[in-house]
């Protein structure tokens, strides 16, 4: 696959970064890509006229000299053919449901075709329907993610503990275990859980624990702390804190079920210091195996 085909494939999967998307837009190719997708969406792909697409492409990209004409024409035919092949592959083989996963000790970034972006924290994942994205912007999230949502149709994040609905904003959703924690950095979000509802604006946050929504709180940071290498907890079950430690350091934590609340934080660069931050306030002891892969809590 050549470089152009790679760019087209990344666009179809919503994986272009902002600079790549802007370059595609300036080249004039983005509009033609979107037209191809619209054809596929309407299930009339076989009627796509390759010659018409080529002529349209030539009219939008006039040659500058006679020498360049042949080169550009050959290149344009290749583009048109590549677009049809890529669109056909998307139409025939795309199931629509797409899962984006961040492995332990890794984050994952995903950009949708409308330039909405998501950054997943370690061990998190979300699922969405790429074939229906423009009509219904909805993701099902497990874990934690930071969203930058572009203005458009309503954007909904569904979790096991409630949902968050926004229209053009930046926010973070943390949904592990029986807890939902939402922070808003700019714009406005609506949080709904178990028949309760609240609206967050800039620098506000809310917790939902076991279906109960707590009062809103104020935050001072302008972006998720985990994006700068810090995990922060607010009266959370220490058993869930150890699970977060497992994801951030890719280790196995052997610990009894404690069920005790923990408030505090740890950095992602030193496992011993992180364990000390968690265990010392709770009078717990810990031991890290020689290979650094197993932690025992007593």
């Amino acid at each position: 696959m050549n470089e152009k085909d790679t760019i087209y494939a990344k666009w179809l999967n919503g994986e272009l970064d902002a600079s790549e998307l802007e370059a595609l837009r300036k080249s004039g190719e983005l509009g033609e890509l979107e037209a191809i997708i619209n054809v596929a969406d309407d299930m009339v792909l076989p009627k796509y006229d390759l010659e018409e697409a080529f002529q349209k492409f030539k009219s939008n990209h006039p040659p500058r000299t006679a020498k360049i004409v042949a080169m550009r024409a050959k290149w344009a035919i290749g583009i048109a053919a590549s677009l049809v092949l890529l669109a056909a592959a998307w139409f025939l083989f795309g199931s629509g449901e797409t899962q984006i996963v961040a492995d332990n000790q890794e984050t994952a970034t995903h950009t949708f075709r409308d330039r909405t972006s998501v950054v997943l924290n370690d061990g998190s994942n979300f699922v969405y329907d790429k074939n229906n994205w423009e009509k219904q912007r909805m993701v099902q999230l497990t874990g934690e993610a930071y969203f930058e949502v572009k203005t458009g149709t309503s954007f909904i994040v569904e979790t096991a503990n409630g949902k968050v609905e926004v229209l053009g904003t930046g926010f973070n959703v943390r949904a592990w275990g029986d807890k939902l924690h939402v922070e808003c950095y700019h714009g406005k979000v609506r949080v709904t859980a178990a028949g309760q509802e609240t609206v967050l604006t800039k620098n506000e946050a809310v917790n939902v624990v076991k279906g109960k929504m707590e009062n809103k709180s104020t935050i001072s940071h302008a972006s998720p702390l985990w994006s700068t290498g810090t995990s922060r907890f607010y009266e959370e079950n220490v058993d869930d804190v150890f699970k977060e430690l497992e994801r951030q350091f890719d280790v196995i934590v052997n610990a009894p079920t404690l069920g005790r609340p923990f408030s505090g934080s740890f950095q992602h660069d030193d496992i011993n210091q992180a364990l000390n931050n968690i265990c010392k306030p709770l009078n717990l002891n810990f031991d890290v195996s020689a290979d650094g892969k197993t932690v025992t809590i007593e």
Side-chain angles (χ1 to χ4, degrees), residues 38 52 59-60 63 68 78 92 95 115 117 130 149 156 166 206 211 217 233 235 245 257 261 263 265 286 294:
N38 289 334
E52 181 181 347
S59 67
N60 291 335
I68 298 177
L92 293 173
S95 64
R115 293 181 295 132
S117 62
K130 68 178 181 180
V149 179
I156 297 174
V166 302
V206 70
S217 59
F233 307 92
E235 290 297 308
L245 186 114
T257 301
S263 292
S265 64
F286 67 87
T294 306

Side-chain angles (χ1 to χ4, degrees), residues 32-294:
E32 294 178 15
L33 282 167
E34 291 174 339
I36 293 279
I37 294 305
N38 289 334
V39 170
D41 282 342
D42 293 335
M43 300 185 70
V44 291
L45 187 61
K47 297 181 181 180
Y48 185 77
D49 191 328
L50 179 60
E51 179 61 24
E52 181 181 347
F54 174 41
Q55 294 302 326
K56 179 180 178 182
F57 186 90
K58 286 201 303 181
S59 67
N60 291 335
H61 301 78
R64 296 182 180 179
T65 69
K67 182 179 180 181
I68 298 177
V69 170
M71 295 176 63
R72 290 178 65 88
K74 182 178 180 181
W75 178 69
I77 292 173
I79 286 181
S82 295
L83 291 177
V84 172
L85 288 173
L86 287 168
W90 175 87
F91 177 71
L92 293 173
F93 303 112
S95 64
E97 185 173 285
T98 302
Q99 183 179 46
I100 308 299
V101 178
D103 293 331
N104 288 350
Q105 284 192 301
E106 294 182 4
T107 59
T109 301
H110 184 78
T111 302
F112 299 95
R113 290 198 292 267
D114 62 1
R115 293 181 295 132
T116 289
S117 62
V118 183
V119 184
L120 282 170
N121 197 1
D122 304 46
S124 305
N125 72 85
F126 72 86
V127 176
Y128 76 102
D129 183 354
K130 68 178 181 180
N131 290 350
N132 199 40
W133 181 249
E134 282 74 16
K135 298 176 183 177
Q136 186 177 44
R137 300 194 298 174
M138 178 184 295
V139 303
Q140 295 176 316
L141 173 70
T142 300
E144 185 169 18
Y146 172 66
F147 295 83
E148 279 285 349
V149 179
K150 298 300 180 182
T151 301
T153 57
S154 64
F155 187 97
I156 297 174
V157 180
E158 288 192 336
T159 77
N161 304 308
K163 72 176 182 179
V164 183
E165 183 175 0
V166 302
L167 189 61
T169 190
F171 63 102
N172 190 75
V173 179
R174 179 182 176 86
W176 287 118
D178 58 6
K179 183 172 181 179
L180 172 65
H181 180 74
V182 183
E183 296 180 346
C184 181
Y185 308 115
H186 58 84
K188 184 182 295 185
V189 300
R190 178 184 294 109
V191 183
T192 305
Q196 306 160 86
E197 181 179 296
T198 191
V199 174
L200 303 179
T201 55
K202 183 178 180 180
N203 296 334
E204 290 186 332
V206 70
N207 280 328
V208 179
V209 182
K210 296 181 179 179
K212 181 180 180 181
M213 185 175 293
E214 300 177 352
N215 293 329
K216 292 190 291 187
S217 59
T218 301
I219 57 175
S220 58
H221 44 280
S223 61
L225 291 176
W226 62 262
S227 66
T228 59
T230 301
S231 290
R232 181 73 170 90
F233 307 92
Y234 305 88
E235 290 297 308
E236 298 188 41
N237 189 324
V238 71
D239 302 322
D240 293 330
V241 176
F242 285 134
K243 290 178 182 177
E244 175 71 3
L245 186 114
E246 286 183 322
R247 289 187 290 269
Q248 295 297 341
F249 291 96
D250 197 22
V251 297
I252 296 174
V253 177
N254 295 319
T257 301
L258 299 169
R260 297 166 62 181
F262 172 81
S263 292
S265 64
F266 65 75
Q267 301 293 317
H268 302 164
D269 57 357
D270 187 329
I271 190 170
N272 286 286
Q273 184 59 54
L275 283 163
N276 189 63
N277 288 3
I278 300 169
C279 295
K280 187 175 181 179
L282 300 176
N283 295 317
L284 298 172
N285 296 316
F286 67 87
D287 179 71
V288 181
S289 63
D291 61 6
K293 293 297 184 180
T294 306

